[in-house]
Amino acid sequence: MEEKMPELPEVETVRRGLSALITDKKITKVTLIYPKIIQGDTQTFVKEMTGRTFKEIDRRGKYLLFRLSDGLTMVSHLRMEGKYSVKENNEPLDKHTHVVFDLVDGMQLRYNDVRKFGRMQIVKTGTEVQLSSLQKLGPEPTPETFLIDDFYQELQKKKKVIKTALLDQTIVAGLGNIYVDEVLWMTKIHPETKCFDITYQQAKEMHDNIILELNRAIKAHGTTIFTFSGVNAQIGSFQNELNVYGKKGEPCPRCQTPLEKIVVGQRGTHFCPNCQQLAK
DNA sequence: AATGATGTTAGAGA
DNA sequence: CTCTCTAACATCAT
């Protein structure tokens, strides 16, 4: 079973796993095999990264923030299929390795991305919050930062449907196609419900479920092993914990009605036509 | 063989 | 500003 990568829980898992492998490692060389992965001037990127040391890794939404020595930060987004791995420098490169960071100890941090959608750029630490991509992010989905009253107010203002709204990262950061479907199923809300039609009570339940589900996923991934080769899912990983995503035609775990798949905002959307009805 | 779908988001246009 | 649609790309299923 191949591991699906990049919603908040997966990015968080990569952050934790990678931290243990590269913290305090100095970069001796940077190789750009497919330079379009880099945003901004590529030569500047190589020049600035080379000779720096990886410090802690932070995360904001689905963005990884690699802190480096001398007040620099590499901002990295995995998009659809980006993956990091740490391997010995004599191991042959994968077909889809696009960026290689040689480390002092003969290891390499490698960035793989079949679809080449992922992006990375270097900025001065602290200025990353000014990037348009990070600036527009809503709160992190934690009880301290994601506040129910704000959430409800935001929903009241929006004219689009809830599935699309949750995906756009501005109301709350970190949800992707899988967990949005899961959260809406948990909350018994139809994905095409207009945001302004959602009641305070529903918003409250959805808010709690968002925090719950993402934490549950992070915890489940905690049993995942981050090896030198990348993230290895343990047998029976989170795939088994999903209730609706990728389960078209299977019985709803709550009411046994066959699950359906529709398109909402150009994204495949899984839901239970019985549990999640459109109020009209 | 051709078409459509795949975890995301920036950017264009309405 | 808000919202919708498309492009970026490779692979796999139909």
Side-chain angles (χ1 to χ4, degrees):
Chain A
M1 183 126 302
E2 199 32 45
E3 185 74 356
K4 303 297 184 186
M5 286 303 290
E7 297 187 36
L8 186 149
E10 293 73 32
V11 177
E12 176 62 16
T13 302
V14 170
R15 186 191 73 75
R16 295 177 186 184
L18 218 45
S19 292
L21 298 178
I22 66 168
T23 301
D24 293 328
K25 300 276 173 71
K26 185 171 175 178
I27 303 162
T28 57
K29 185 181 170 190
V30 178
T31 310
L32 305 181
I33 298 162
Y34 183 77
K36 281 184 74 178
I37 297 292
I38 311 303
Q39 293 180 292
D41 185 68
T42 53
Q43 289 318 304
T44 305
F45 180 88
V46 171
K47 203 173 195 175
E48 293 289 281
M49 295 289 294
T50 306
R52 310 289 176 190
T53 301
F54 281 115
K55 295 300 182 184
E56 65 271 28
I57 306 174
D58 293 327
R59 181 188 55 72
R60 176 76 173 98
K62 302 175 196 170
Y63 292 83
L64 288 166
L65 307 173
F66 292 81
R67 306 303 185 185
L68 299 159
S69 54
D70 302 310
L72 294 172
T73 293
M74 181 177 83
V75 181
S76 168
H77 197 298
L78 305 172
R79 293 286 185 93
M80 300 279 265
E81 305 192 30
K83 293 173 178 65
Y84 281 103
S85 63
V86 180
K87 296 193 176 177
E88 293 190 34
N89 58 17
N90 57 12
E91 270 203 61
L93 294 182
D94 185 85
K95 180 180 175 187
H96 300 291
T97 300
H98 306 309
V99 183
V100 179
F101 302 92
D102 277 89
L103 306 174
V104 273
D105 56 356
M107 304 296 286
Q108 293 178 333
L109 173 67
R110 299 178 179 181
Y111 179 73
N112 285 0
D113 191 340
V114 170
R115 294 177 70 182
K116 302 176 174 170
F117 286 174
R119 292 293 179 264
M120 51 184 83
Q121 69 186 112
I122 190 157
V123 299
K124 278 188 191 162
T125 297
T127 66
E128 69 273 4
V129 295
Q130 292 163 24
L131 296 174
S132 59
S133 49
L134 288 179
Q135 203 165 31
K136 69 168 188 225
L137 290 184
E140 287 295 308
T142 70
E144 296 76 31
T145 50
F146 183 34
L147 306 177
I148 172 58
D149 285 8
D150 292 348
F151 181 48
Y152 178 63
Q153 292 306 327
E154 284 296 315
L155 290 179
Q156 288 295 100
K157 285 191 279 188
K158 302 265 180 197
K159 295 188 175 72
K160 47 182 157 184
V161 300
I162 186 63
K163 161 107 188 194
T164 307
L166 290 179
L167 280 178
D168 90 4
Q169 311 296 302
T170 61
I171 303 186
V172 60
L175 290 167
N177 209 33
I178 295 175
Y179 296 114
V180 165
D181 284 3
E182 293 297 318
V183 163
L184 291 177
W185 177 84
M186 288 167 77
T187 319
K188 301 184 185 175
I189 292 176
H190 191 288
E192 290 176 301
T193 306
K194 297 281 192 185
C195 291
F196 56 66
D197 280 336
I198 290 170
T199 66
Y200 185 88
Q201 184 57 35
Q202 287 178 312
K204 168 73 177 147
E205 282 172 29
M206 195 175 358
H207 166 271
D208 294 352
N209 283 335
I210 288 168
I211 295 173
L212 235 137
E213 177 67 1
L214 292 178
N215 280 318
R216 200 169 69 94
I218 291 171
K219 203 168 175 185
H221 289 320
T223 62
T224 292
I225 303 166
F226 200 101
T227 68
F228 286 135
S229 302
V231 183
N232 284 353
Q234 266 191 348
I235 299 163
S237 73
F238 205 73
Q239 193 76 0
N240 303 339
E241 313 262 341
L242 298 178
N243 288 299
V244 290
Y245 186 85
K247 298 192 183 292
K248 178 177 83 168
E250 293 182 35
C252 167
R254 220 165 19 214
C255 75
Q256 319 310 319
T257 302
L259 297 170
E260 289 184 8
K261 184 180 178 191
I262 58 174
V263 175
V264 179
Q266 293 86 237
R267 306 301 302 280
T269 299
H270 312 74
F271 75 112
C272 171
N274 180 48
C275 294
Q276 299 165 265
Q277 292 193 21
L278 209 47
K280 55 168 224 173

